Amino acid sequence: MRLSLAALSVLTLCQLTSCSTQSKDESSKTGNIALEASAKSPAATSSADSSEAPKEKPVAAARPAGAVSTGDSTLDSLTFAPPAGALLPKYRIFAYYGNPHSKKMGVLGKYPKDEMLKRLDEEIKNWQKADPATPILPALHLVATSAQGSPGKDGGYRMRMSDKTIKKVLKWGNDHKAIVFLDIQRGHAPLGPEMEYMTKYLKLPFVHLGIDPEFSMVTGAKPGTKIGSYDAADVNQAVKFLSRIVKENNLPPKILVVHRFTQGMIKNYKNIKLDPNVQIVMDMDGWGPPVLKKDSYLAYIQKEPVQYTGFKLFYENDFRKPGSRIMTPAEVLALTPKPLYIQYQ
């Protein structure tokens, strides 16, 4: 028997905790409480950054013909180019999620860079064995704008990672031949300016976008106290934004990852409009026992389809319920539709 929605007790909000790790230059700029992965992953987390902004694997290549300069010499020195054209459904994308300033936010920041990338490669081998027919593209999914427990100077309840931090993770991806996702937890800040802040990075062919409804606080609540939401209009706004970057810079289609683990996180999904320049992934983002994760995938991803689907696994939180465990690649790939974006936190 399927669990009722009321039984989704694993999808509870995290408690706010202070930053666990910060770089020297960034920690001096913020005394804020950083949030992450609450209901979807109640592990309290932290990034460390100010209102500035700061990793995946086919063969490296020169930047695509026609790609314009970002206007930043450091970024323009990153030459990794993924396979030409749309990545989905030809490839399965396998991402490690988090922030290098927080060990609690996810595996991306839990280990030193080299160990983290080694673990990424080893995990990919397990997934490739489970589905040899679909090549896997490594990815790093960076929380580039982190929701905060305090408002900050502009009342936005969010913190943008510094240019230094973002460039560092982009270089990790470039050197490891991995694509990179920049994820936005907007808090109270309007989505448009938060996306515009990422423009110069998104001009790179291997950089894509994620938006997190959990921390889109349309009710005015403090991030981490309630689960936020996006309307189809917000998703369409992100699609139009990415489509413009693709067209203006002669780039292959961008991927937009939209996290979801409850009914209310995405409203009016039928009104989401597809665009040939953008591939939308609805990512089942909740943690808990396998039966609960399957139930959530059925209720919010399979029954409300948009385009492509994703599935998130938690190295720690999927074990929090007594008797729970992390799902195997074979179990995840038995879902319908078969997820093409896999994320580990």
Side-chain angles (χ1 to χ4, degrees), residues 2-23:
R2 290 179 56 231
L3 297 176
S4 68
L5 298 185
L8 302 184
S9 58
V10 294
L11 302 179
T12 56
L13 287 170
C14 68
Q15 297 191 347
L16 311 183
T17 62
S18 58
C19 298
S20 59
T21 59
Q22 294 183 341
S23 66

Side-chain angles (χ1 to χ4, degrees), residues 76-99:
D76 291 341
S77 69
L78 304 178
T79 60
F80 170 61
L87 297 178
L88 303 174
K90 183 176 181 180
Y91 296 89
R92 173 166 291 110
I93 295 168
F94 184 94
Y96 264 10
Y97 173 98
N99 184 291

Side-chain angles (χ1 to χ4, degrees), residues 293-294 297 302 311 327 330-339:
K293 294 173 76 81
K294 292 176 184 178
Y297 188 83
Q302 184 189 91
F311 200 89
M327 291 175 66
E331 288 175 315
V332 175
L333 296 177
L335 296 170
T336 302
K338 190 177 295 186

Side-chain angles (χ1 to χ4, degrees), residues 231-241 271-274 280:
D231 187 81
D234 301 304
V235 178
N236 290 338
Q237 181 186 8
V239 169
K240 290 179 180 178
F241 166 75
N271 294 334
I272 295 175
K273 295 179 172 60
L274 302 185
I280 303 173

Side-chain angles (χ1 to χ4, degrees), residues 55-258:
K55 304 168 282 68
E56 322 188 276
K57 192 170 178 175
V59 180
R63 298 188 71 207
V68 302
S69 169
T70 66
D72 185 312
S73 60
T74 303
L75 293 179
D76 291 341
S77 69
L78 304 178
T79 60
F80 170 61
L87 297 178
L88 303 174
K90 183 176 181 180
Y91 296 89
R92 173 166 291 110
I93 295 168
F94 184 94
Y96 264 10
Y97 173 98
N99 184 291
H101 298 299
S102 171
K103 292 184 178 181
K104 293 183 177 181
M105 190 177 286
V107 64
L108 188 149
K110 184 175 182 178
Y111 304 100
K113 179 198 74 173
D114 290 343
E115 182 179 354
M116 180 272 294
L117 293 173
K118 181 179 179 181
R119 288 173 177 267
L120 173 71
D121 292 341
E122 290 300 314
E123 198 70 70
I124 285 175
K125 291 178 183 177
N126 296 328
W127 285 81
Q128 198 68 79
K129 289 178 182 177
D131 181 10
T134 307
I136 294 177
L137 190 64
L140 300 177
H141 198 117
L142 169 68
V143 180
T145 297
S146 172
Q148 299 288 292
S150 31
K153 292 181 180 180
D154 64 357
Y157 284 89
R158 59 83 179 87
M159 184 187 298
R160 295 171 175 172
M161 295 300 104
S162 69
D163 197 50
K164 178 180 177 180
T165 295
I166 295 178
K167 287 181 179 179
K168 174 169 68 175
V169 177
L170 292 180
K171 189 175 188 306
W172 291 356
N174 180 81
D175 295 349
H176 204 65
K177 304 179 181 65
I179 63 174
V180 176
F181 290 86
L182 302 179
D183 205 85
I184 294 173
Q185 300 175 353
R186 76 172 189 90
H188 290 195
L191 178 60
E194 298 310 305
M195 294 191 297
E196 290 290 346
Y197 184 77
M198 308 295 177
T199 298
K200 72 174 181 178
Y201 311 114
L202 289 163
K203 289 181 181 180
L204 296 172
F206 69 96
V207 181
H208 304 267
L209 184 67
I211 58 174
D212 197 339
E214 181 183 357
F215 299 104
S216 172
M217 311 312 298
V218 296
T219 65
K222 183 185 296 186
T225 62
K226 294 183 181 297
I227 299 173
S229 66
Y230 276 126
D231 187 81
D234 301 304
V235 178
N236 290 338
Q237 181 186 8
V239 169
K240 290 179 180 178
F241 166 75
L242 287 175
S243 183
R244 173 173 59 82
I245 291 178
V246 167
K247 288 184 286 188
E248 290 179 353
N249 299 283
N250 191 31
L251 296 170
K254 292 291 184 182
I255 298 172
L256 174 66
V257 172
V258 183

